[in-house]
Amino acid sequence: MPDIAMHLLDIVYNSIRALAKQITISIHDSEKENIIEIIVEDDGCGMDEETIQHVMDPFFTTRTTRKVGLGVPLFKEGVLATGGTFDICSTVNKGTTIKGYYVKQHWDTPPLGNLAETLATLIQANDQIDYLFTYTSDTHQFCLDTKEIKAILDGVKINEPEIILWLKDYIKEGLSQ
């Protein structure tokens, strides 16, 4: 995958397929610590230990539309290629947490990519899912909580085209500060 945002999109779609209602995405991007930390937590159906081991296999998928599932294996491989670490833990009926720690200054570390587009795409996919997105760097923090936005919208669906366009701009602005 060309960038971290695309890996993130694929990982979060796994959470959506796992029927998650709350997905937390945390990115810590630090020059000082030489790290890009990606954490995705969900409250989906979770996995048992055997399934967790199978998830690392690119020829395992729970989908019926194709016979391979490359998202988690490619993310893991990309993180480890930079000298970083990868971890996945899950509990049946409680959810899953995936953590990847890239070494930021490594030549194999992909760029962050278009996080605003990725987040807007995820929010647009299903207005019943709540997202808590946090981005921190050495100089600032940006947080997006769709529960708060939905409360402000007072019944207007968060995935309406006008709202999605506003969200993209809001996220871009928040990340660029």
Side-chain angles (χ1 to χ4, degrees), residues 29-47:
D29 182 6
S30 175
E31 294 283 340
K32 290 178 186 173
E33 298 173 48
N34 194 26
I35 191 170
I36 301 175
E37 174 189 71
I38 309 294
I39 302 173
V40 177
E41 299 175 84
D42 70 51
D43 64 353
C45 63
M47 298 177 280

Side-chain angles (χ1 to χ4, degrees), residues 35-169:
I35 191 170
I36 301 175
E37 174 189 71
I38 309 294
I39 302 173
V40 177
E41 299 175 84
D42 70 51
D43 64 353
C45 63
M47 298 177 280
D48 59 26
E49 284 300 318
E50 182 179 346
T51 305
I52 291 172
Q53 295 307 312
H54 286 302
V55 162
M56 307 301 178
D57 178 357
F59 300 103
F60 173 81
T61 183
T62 57
R63 284 188 255 168
T64 58
T65 55
R66 65 179 189 215
K67 301 252 190 262
V68 293
L70 297 174
V72 173
L74 284 178
F75 179 63
K76 178 182 178 184
E77 180 181 309
V79 165
L80 295 178
T82 72
T85 60
F86 173 86
D87 185 46
I88 182 170
C89 60
S90 188
T91 304
V92 175
N93 298 322
K94 295 219 186 230
T96 301
T97 300
I98 294 179
K99 298 178 183 179
Y101 302 87
Y102 290 93
V103 175
K104 184 173 177 72
Q105 299 301 323
H106 194 279
W107 56 82
D108 285 332
T109 299
L112 278 175
N114 193 337
L115 292 172
E117 187 71 38
T118 297
L119 291 169
T121 298
L122 292 167
I123 293 166
Q124 190 172 16
N126 184 336
D127 68 338
Q128 300 302 306
I129 298 173
D130 288 313
Y131 291 94
L132 177 59
F133 171 75
T134 305
Y135 173 88
T136 58
S137 72
D138 295 330
T139 59
H140 79 283
Q141 179 174 341
F142 170 71
C143 186
L144 172 79
D145 186 343
T146 59
K147 283 183 185 179
E148 290 178 3
I149 293 171
K150 288 176 184 178
I152 293 167
L153 291 173
D154 194 29
V156 176
K157 290 191 173 276
I158 195 167
N159 60 355
E160 289 290 326
E162 301 84 15
I163 305 300
I164 293 298
L165 289 173
W166 176 83
L167 278 170
K168 283 182 197 177
D169 289 341

